[in-house]
């Protein structure tokens, strides 16, 4: 049993994530447990992201400052966005992401850090050139957001006043993704993390399943 648990916590972490999100799909699609799914969503997000960063290879002051900077700047940007509607459009956060600071869930900053880290990890696995990594990772994040926007209202994460997000939402998202990935590359943060790459795509598939189910 100990060997199995050790495997699932290390080499088998992607398999653990797959099982974890399969259970999540079941909870979401079952009427009896749907509310429970919404309730535990912020806790599960923190759990899986913590698992990812436990596998980060090079923890040092520089890395922590970069991650903290992305966290803080993303939170500030979101606060401005919610308050003014000038960046992402008019939107409000629901209860699906937990505790908020000035109407913005704290976990949003953590999710920005994860998405930048994971997308950077995916692209940098195939090239060491800065521009392709920055643009490629930002493009992956844009794809992620396009899919997520379809299910965010269903999961009580956030809701735009006109239901569909404006073009400015995607433009600002992409620009922030470019900036944050530039910072990662500028300060040479090592993002090589196999579980992070897996989790990024597992979440996309998870959101696609929910979006498709909602359509039918």
């Amino acid at each position: 049993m100990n060997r199995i648990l050790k495997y699932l916590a290390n080499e088998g972490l992607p398999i653990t994530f797959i099982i974890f999100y399969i259970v999540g799909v079941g909870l979401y699609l079952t009427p009896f447990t749907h509310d429970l799914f919404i309730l535990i969503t912020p806790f599960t997000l923190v759990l899986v992201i913590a698992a990812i960063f436990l596998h980060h290879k090079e923890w040092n002051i520089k890395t922590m400052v970069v991650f903290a900077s992305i966290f803080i700047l993303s939170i500030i940007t979101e606060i401005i966005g919610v308050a003014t509607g000038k960046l992402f459009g008019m939107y409000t956060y629901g209860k699906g992401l937990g505790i908020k600071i000035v109407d913005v869930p704290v976990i949003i900053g953590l999710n920005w850090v994860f998405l930048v880290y994971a997308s950077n990890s995916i692209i940098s696995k195939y090239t060491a050139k800065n521009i392709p990594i920055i643009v490629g990772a930002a493009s992956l994040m844009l794809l992620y957001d396009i899919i997520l926007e379809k299910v965010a209202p269903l999961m009580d994460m956030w809701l735009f006043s006109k239901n569909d997000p404006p073009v400015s939402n995607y433009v600002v998202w992409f620009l922030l993704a470019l900036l944050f990935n530039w910072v990662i590359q500028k300060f040479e943060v090592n993002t090589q993390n196999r579980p992070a790459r897996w989790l990024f795509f597992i979440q996309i598939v998870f959101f696609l399943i929910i979006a498709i189910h909602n359509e039918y």
Side-chain angles (χ1 to χ4, degrees):
M1 178 60 72
N2 288 336
R3 291 180 63 184
I4 293 174
L5 292 176
K6 184 178 180 180
Y7 173 77
L8 291 177
N10 294 283
E11 295 88 349
L13 189 57
I15 297 175
T16 307
F17 287 150
I18 291 172
I19 296 172
F20 194 78
Y21 277 88
I22 288 175
V23 172
V25 169
L27 290 175
Y28 178 85
L29 297 182
T30 304
F32 180 72
T33 57
H34 181 81
D35 289 342
L36 174 63
F37 171 86
I38 301 298
L39 180 65
I40 66 175
T41 292
F43 302 102
T44 56
L45 285 174
V46 170
L47 180 63
V48 295
I49 292 175
I52 289 300
F53 285 110
L54 283 174
H55 286 75
H56 179 69
K57 295 178 180 179
E58 297 179 11
W59 282 108
N60 50 49
I61 296 298
K62 178 183 67 177
T63 296
M64 289 188 286
V65 169
V66 168
F67 289 165
S69 298
I70 293 173
F71 177 89
I72 294 170
L73 183 55
S74 64
I75 287 287
I76 291 173
T77 304
E78 293 277 358
I79 289 173
I80 295 172
V82 169
T84 67
K86 300 296 185 181
L87 299 177
F88 303 99
M90 296 297 298
Y91 69 109
T92 55
Y93 281 102
K95 299 179 180 179
L97 292 175
I99 300 172
K100 300 176 183 178
I101 297 178
V102 196
D103 297 324
V104 173
V106 177
I107 200 171
I108 282 294
L110 184 61
N111 200 52
W112 269 101
V113 176
F114 162 69
L115 292 177
V116 173
Y117 179 83
S119 60
N120 190 282
S121 179
I122 292 167
I123 303 300
S124 62
K125 181 175 173 61
Y126 301 101
T127 180
K129 296 181 179 179
N130 284 337
I131 292 179
I133 291 174
I134 294 168
V135 176
S139 299
L140 276 181
M141 289 180 63
L142 179 60
L143 172 64
Y144 183 103
D145 184 52
I146 290 171
I147 297 171
L148 178 56
E149 295 294 354
K150 300 295 183 182
V151 302
L154 304 175
M155 298 171 65
D156 198 22
M157 290 183 174
W158 60 81
L159 180 66
F160 282 87
S161 60
K162 296 183 179 180
N163 294 325
D164 294 325
V167 174
S168 62
N169 172 71
Y170 301 110
V171 172
V172 174
W173 177 280
F174 184 70
L175 291 176
L176 282 175
L178 286 174
L179 172 62
F180 294 152
N181 275 284
W182 175 82
V183 171
I184 291 286
Q185 292 304 113
K186 175 67 175 179
F187 292 95
E188 300 180 339
V189 175
N190 183 352
T191 61
Q192 290 307 304
N193 188 320
R194 178 171 171 265
R197 296 192 290 270
W198 273 86
L199 182 59
F200 186 93
F201 289 116
I202 289 170
Q203 288 188 346
I204 285 181
V205 172
F206 174 76
F207 295 141
L208 281 172
I209 291 172
I210 293 178
I212 292 170
H213 173 267
N214 184 63
E215 289 295 324
Y216 296 97

